[in-house]
Amino acid sequence: MTRNIERFSPTEIGERLRMARETAKLTQAAAAAASGMARTTLVAMEQGQRKLRMDDLLLLTKLYGASVNGLSRQEAIHIDPTPKIRMLPASPEASDIEMAASLLTNLAKAEAELEGLLGIHRVRNYPQRRPILHLGSLCLR
């Protein structure tokens, strides 16, 4: 477990920790308070200016609902498929949508990791680029 994480620079580990914290929707102040460390210590870790001890790493990943294995993946996939629509915060659909989006995110990450381990290189099949048409003197009323 530690060998996988040691291959990354302190800056990259810090960046991955920051993304895990943001995914968990925690501020630096809240994460520092919950983990019992000073906010400045957490900031230094996220910026790669402070060496990360294994017990701090385990504490933070548990707090963020992540895993050391997930942070040390070769390809860190960061997607957010959560629908960007307005809804009432108290609606029962809100938690179902968040749970489905979280599941979709985890499946996409696992698929990308598995493809990487198997040496599969996905062909990107993007649509052709189209030029933007010059509208000239078109006036919208």
Side-chain angles (χ1 to χ4, degrees):
M1 175 166 63
T2 57
R3 289 189 185 127
N4 285 341
I5 206 79
E6 288 173 354
R7 67 182 171 188
F8 298 110
S9 70
T11 305
E12 191 171 1
I13 294 170
E15 178 69 13
R16 289 171 180 239
L17 273 175
R18 181 190 61 78
M19 285 189 262
R21 176 182 54 76
E22 289 175 353
T23 300
K25 297 180 181 169
L26 289 172
T27 63
Q28 288 176 333
S35 63
M37 64 178 69
R39 183 181 169 276
T40 53
T41 302
L42 182 62
V43 170
M45 288 177 183
E46 288 185 358
Q47 293 176 348
Q49 298 171 348
R50 180 184 170 114
K51 186 170 171 66
L52 192 64
R53 296 182 321 208
M54 183 51 79
D55 57 333
D56 290 333
L57 180 63
L58 293 173
L59 176 68
L60 291 173
T61 54
K62 183 176 181 182
L63 176 65
Y64 300 157
S67 69
V68 175
N69 194 25
L71 289 178
S72 64
R73 286 184 174 144
Q74 186 71 12
E75 288 186 38
I77 308 291
H78 303 287
I79 61 172
D80 183 12
T82 308
K84 304 298 181 199
I85 56 175
R86 293 182 185 188
M87 66 177 69
L88 297 175
S91 70
E93 295 86 19
S95 62
D96 291 342
I97 289 172
E98 284 185 22
M99 191 169 60
S102 175
L103 178 60
L104 181 60
T105 300
N106 291 335
L107 288 172
K109 288 178 181 181
E111 179 185 17
E113 182 181 9
L114 184 58
E115 286 176 348
L117 291 172
L118 295 174
I120 298 170
H121 299 285
R122 184 175 292 213
V123 176
R124 309 242 185 242
N125 190 13
Y126 296 122
Q128 289 182 342
R129 292 184 181 197
R130 297 179 188 252
I132 297 175
L133 300 175
H134 179 53
L135 300 177
S137 61
L138 180 64
C139 185
L140 299 175
R141 295 177 194 209

